[in-house]
Amino acid sequence: KNEVEQSPQNLTAQEGEFITINCSYSVGISALHWLQQHPGGGIVSLFMLSSGKKKHGRLIATINIQEKHSSLHITASHPRDSAVYICAVRRGGADGLTFGKGTHLIIQP
Amino acid sequence: DTGVSQDPRHKITKRGQNVTFRCDPISEHNRLYWYRQTLGQGPEFLTYFQNEAQLEKSRLLSDRFSAERPKGSFSTLEIQRTEQGDSAMYLCASSLRDYYGYTFGSGTRLTVV
């Protein structure tokens, strides 16, 4: 079992829908990241969380440390949100990130 | 300095050849990371530098892989005697000393033929 599991692996939705991507992890962490990767490889850091909730524009990220679970929400989704969304954790005592496999999101107009 | 730069963007090499990639981090970032990403998978951690010191190496980093950061600024990742299984996107990231977040480069895509 991977240390970081994401669901769903693939998600296709219509423009305007509310999107939720889930991440569960099985190790102790000091921080959790949500990243966005577009075709061609470029990775953009969206959020870094150690507790609670963060919001940036139409994106909301939450984390429940006790349940070892995080969610990324996109409100009023738009075709430009189409990308791979990756959850990554920084394990306590380590410096490198451990990544999930990503969720491939397609928003259709 | 607008971000993390990686060079080259693409590299095609014949099996058995050596290749070297370069990463220029954000200038004030003292931490630098190398990751490898294969098709359909999330990135995997390879190694990490704090200034010029290589502090952590993954088991994925075989003897054919070596990374340096000689002056605590840019870093190079060399793969000797490349194999087809080395074909992947090699990503570099940097972060601040007290760790705020990561900035990723666009990656170097290696194809071994």
Side-chain angles (χ1 to χ4, degrees):
Chain A
K1 188 176 188 299
N2 293 331
E3 292 178 340
V4 181
E5 296 277 359
Q6 286 186 236
S7 63
Q9 284 188 297
N10 297 284
L11 178 58
T12 300
Q14 295 298 121
E15 183 174 357
E17 286 189 38
F18 181 81
I19 303 298
T20 296
I21 299 171
N22 296 300
C23 175
S24 297
Y25 52 92
S26 58
V27 294
I29 68 169
S30 57
L32 181 143
H33 293 254
W34 281 103
L35 308 163
Q36 181 191 55
Q37 186 171 30
H38 283 280
I43 293 179
V44 174
S45 180
L46 298 175
F47 296 103
M48 183 183 74
L49 295 162
S50 54
S51 65
K53 175 180 174 178
K54 287 190 176 180
K55 183 176 189 294
H56 181 72
R58 294 181 295 105
L59 301 178
I60 304 166
T62 64
I63 188 168
N64 185 317
I65 296 294
Q66 286 73 31
E67 295 185 3
K68 294 186 175 176
H69 181 270
S70 176
S71 293
L72 176 69
H73 304 285
I74 306 175
T75 62
S77 59
H78 189 275
R80 64 174 174 265
D81 297 326
S82 299
V84 176
Y85 291 85
I86 303 173
C87 172
V89 301
R90 185 179 183 224
R91 297 171 63 180
D95 289 286
L97 293 176
T98 302
F99 293 77
K101 292 186 177 182
T103 294
H104 188 191
L105 174 65
I106 298 174
I107 303 296
Q108 295 177 334
Chain B
D1 190 340
T2 57
V4 177
S5 299
Q6 291 189 246
D7 184 68
R9 290 295 304 274
H10 303 275
K11 178 70 177 179
I12 300 173
T13 191
K14 291 184 178 179
R15 190 174 54 184
Q17 297 293 305
N18 298 346
V19 293
T20 300
F21 310 140
R22 177 178 169 127
C23 171
D24 286 89
I26 291 175
S27 56
E28 61 266 29
H29 287 186
N30 75 331
R31 298 184 176 199
L32 186 147
Y33 306 80
W34 285 99
Y35 295 90
R36 181 175 68 187
Q37 185 177 26
T38 53
L39 199 63
Q41 301 295 315
E44 297 170 299
F45 171 75
L46 292 179
T47 190
Y48 150 65
F49 290 86
Q50 184 167 316
N51 298 313
E52 65 275 8
Q54 189 174 19
L55 297 186
E56 194 175 343
K57 289 173 64 173
S58 164
R59 289 189 302 273
L60 295 173
L61 215 64
S62 76
D63 291 343
R64 296 185 297 104
F65 287 69
S66 62
E68 293 183 339
R69 194 181 182 198
K71 297 181 180 178
S73 56
F74 73 92
S75 175
T76 58
L77 177 68
E78 181 182 16
I79 309 173
Q80 296 182 325
R81 305 181 302 282
T82 52
E83 301 173 357
Q84 285 189 319
D86 298 332
S87 296
M89 175 75 82
Y90 290 84
L91 293 161
C92 176
S94 68
S95 69
L96 285 168
R97 177 180 65 242
D98 294 322
Y99 180 68
Y100 175 73
Y102 292 82
T103 302
F104 283 83
S106 296
T108 293
R109 183 170 295 284
L110 173 67
T111 302
V112 181
V113 297

